[in-house]
């Protein structure tokens, strides 16, 4: 198989690697496979990655499953096709292993919108609160947290805190508010949002439902309340994937990043998946611009050059690992 869909003139800025040097005749799948075997590397990929990256990965999953997989791997090298906070979590769990990322610039608006120093200052207002942070945050924020959660286990993590203990939840206010409303536990919320999930349009989804009356709406809890209110099922990416397999419905409007539709089509063949539309005229605004920075070509180059390699400041490693390990323990 030859190169598929790559932008050959593109440059991975932080890795200073020109993609134009790749031989267009090269079988990237075979090369990636050969290199991962010779390096004893494991390729972990999130459901929002391009289909071809999901297809070559050793493991594809949601944030929780990827953290669990990173915690358990016996590979010598971890190659993380996802966004920065996910690879950072893998590094925190494996401080002695190299963690390579196809594009170091693949960030996350939730993590970027909650800088460590500002979060630390904000927490001074809540000295007697237990701090639960969504995994979509920096190592600095994790190091200031008591417990980490993902969208898969957030309700369970919140429920693990004694009922009379006050809680602050960061950085996603939509997920936080959804938890407050569904499990009836009050929490102070950091005002962060996901730039992708917050622009799904309730109005356009309702219009789509007119044309597809049988379609069920499924949504990630990072969406706004108005979208969650019209959803037939709300859950993490893995929960949405399970739902479309188990539900008798044949048509689904998917209010999360459309990369997941690759897995839905594989796991529930014959069913129809319609990406939920975003507000405004932009067709591709429901794609995560960070996740989509990774390409098969950059994955090939990062294995070939063994860079970019992700590092986490030594002084953060132990403090950031504690609340992640607490989450992994409570999720067993
Ligand atoms: P999941 O943990 O549900 O895969 O979500 C990750 C994410 O970044 C959602 O935008
Ligand atoms: Fe972050 Fe949103 Fe992209 Fe997920 S979809 S990685 S929360 S910006």
């Amino acid at each position: 198989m030859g190169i598929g869909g790559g932008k050959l003139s593109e440059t991975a800025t932080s890795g200073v690697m020109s993609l134009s040097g790749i031989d267009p005749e090269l079988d990237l799948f075979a090369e990636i496979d050969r290199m991962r075997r010779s390096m004893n590397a494991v390729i972990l990929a999130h459901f929002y990655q391009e289909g071809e990256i999901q297809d070559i990965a050793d493991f594809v999953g949601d944030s929780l499953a990827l953290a669990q997989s990173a915690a358990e791997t016996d590979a010598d090298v971890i190659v993380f096709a996802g966004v920065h906070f996910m690879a950072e979590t893998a590094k925190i769990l494996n401080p002695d292993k190299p963690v390579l990322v196809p594009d170091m610039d693949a960030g996350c608006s939730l993590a970027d919108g909650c800088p460590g120093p500002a979060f630390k200052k904000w927490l001074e207002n809540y000295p007697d609160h237990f701090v639960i942070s969504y995994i979509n945050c920096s190592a600095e924020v994790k190091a200031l947290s008591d417990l980490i959660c993902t969208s898969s286990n957030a309700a369970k993590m919140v429920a693990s805190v004694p009922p009379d203990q006050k809680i602050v939840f960061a950085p996603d206010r939509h997920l936080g508010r959804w938890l407050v409303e569904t499990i009836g536990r009050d929490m102070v919320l950091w005002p962060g949002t996901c730039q992708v999930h917050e622009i799904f349009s309730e109005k356009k989804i309702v219009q789509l439902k007119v044309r597809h009356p049988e379609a069920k709406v499924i949504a990630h809890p990072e969406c706004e309340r108005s979208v969650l209110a019209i959803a037939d099922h709300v859950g993490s990416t893995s929960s949405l994937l399970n739902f479309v397999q188990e539900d008798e419905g044949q048509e689904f409007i998917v209010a999360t990043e459309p990369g997941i539709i690759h897995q839905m089509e594989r796991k529930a063949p014959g069913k129809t998946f319609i990406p939920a539309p975003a507000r405004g005229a932009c067709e591709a605004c429901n794609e995560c611009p960070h996740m989509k920075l990774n390409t098969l070509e950059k994955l090939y180059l990062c294995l070939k050059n063994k860079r970019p390699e992700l590092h986490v400041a030594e002084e953060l490693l132990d403090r950031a690992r504690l609340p992640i390990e607490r989450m992994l323990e409570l999720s067993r």
Side-chain angles (χ1 to χ4, degrees):
M1 200 177 300
I3 297 172
K7 297 170 198 140
L8 294 181
S9 58
E10 211 168 26
T11 295
T13 49
S14 39
V16 203
M17 294 182 299
S18 168
L19 301 185
S20 56
I22 301 176
D23 176 356
E25 296 304 314
L26 203 61
D27 182 339
L28 289 184
F29 281 91
E31 277 305 300
I32 289 170
D33 189 43
R34 185 187 60 73
M35 289 189 286
R36 90 170 126 199
R37 284 169 199 275
S38 73
M39 290 160 64
N40 189 27
V42 66
I43 301 174
L44 306 180
H46 188 263
F47 289 133
Y48 295 164
Q49 292 295 284
E50 299 286 0
E52 53 194 6
I53 295 181
Q54 296 188 37
D55 290 344
I56 189 101
D58 295 283
F59 183 80
V60 187
D62 70 359
S63 308
L64 176 63
L66 288 166
Q68 288 167 326
S69 184
E72 286 158 15
T73 187
D74 55 9
D76 294 324
V77 178
I78 297 172
V79 181
F80 212 113
V83 290
H84 192 272
F85 77 82
M86 295 178 174
E88 199 171 53
T89 303
K91 181 66 182 178
I92 292 164
L93 292 167
N94 295 276
D96 300 328
K97 290 183 183 175
V99 174
L100 307 177
V101 292
D103 193 319
M104 196 62 88
D105 290 339
C108 168
S109 67
L110 278 168
D112 297 344
C114 187
F119 187 58
K120 190 171 182 202
K121 183 110 195 74
W122 183 73
L123 286 180
E124 285 170 11
N125 299 314
Y126 309 103
D128 53 350
H129 285 54
F130 188 83
V131 182
I132 303 183
S133 294
Y134 188 35
I135 198 163
N136 299 39
C137 65
S138 65
E140 227 175 326
V141 167
K142 287 186 175 76
L144 293 163
S145 306
D146 297 304
L147 181 62
I148 299 302
C149 74
T150 75
S151 51
S152 275
N153 62 16
K156 191 173 178 186
M157 294 304 109
V158 173
S160 75
V161 181
D164 51 352
Q165 171 63 58
K166 293 185 218 159
I167 302 175
V168 296
F169 186 88
D172 187 4
R173 72 181 163 92
H174 294 307
L175 171 63
R177 193 216 51 253
W178 179 72
L179 288 166
V180 169
E181 290 175 359
T182 52
I183 62 179
R185 182 81 184 259
D186 199 24
M187 299 192 289
V188 179
L189 309 178
W190 173 273
T193 57
C194 160
Q195 70 186 96
V196 178
H197 287 85
E198 74 169 347
I199 61 162
F200 286 116
S201 163
E202 176 218 349
K203 189 173 154 207
K204 287 190 185 175
I205 294 173
V206 171
Q207 284 167 348
L208 252 185
K209 282 275 287 182
V210 174
R211 282 191 280 132
H212 302 268
E214 300 298 322
K216 290 189 173 164
V217 178
I218 57 172
H220 195 280
E222 289 174 13
C223 293
E224 285 187 339
R225 181 199 241 142
S226 58
V227 170
L228 298 183
I230 56 165
D232 297 284
H233 179 71
V234 176
S236 64
T237 50
S238 54
S239 168
L240 301 183
L241 187 55
N242 289 339
F243 183 78
V244 301
Q245 291 172 81
E246 286 162 14
D247 190 74
E248 78 268 1
Q250 294 299 311
E251 219 177 352
F252 300 90
I253 296 170
V254 182
T256 193
E257 214 277 352
I260 185 80
I261 292 177
H262 183 68
Q263 289 299 322
M264 289 176 171
E265 285 172 343
R266 287 180 64 165
K267 299 250 164 86
K271 295 194 179 184
T272 304
F273 305 102
I274 308 163
R279 285 195 288 265
C282 173
E283 285 286 318
C285 279
N286 53 12
E287 289 195 358
C288 174
H290 310 288
M291 287 279 182
K292 295 304 197 251
L293 279 178
N294 295 328
T295 61
L296 195 66
E297 289 77 13
K298 290 181 192 172
L299 180 59
Y300 159 77
L301 286 173
C302 108
L303 278 151
K304 181 170 180 261
N305 299 317
K306 300 187 178 53
R307 58 191 286 255
E309 182 180 345
L310 185 141
H311 297 281
V312 176
E314 196 67 36
E315 70 274 13
L316 290 177
L317 279 170
D318 290 345
R319 281 188 293 136
R321 191 179 312 112
L322 211 67
I324 301 172
E325 284 184 340
R326 216 171 258 159
M327 169 189 79
L328 294 176
E329 191 56 42
L330 287 167
S331 303
R332 270 184 219 283

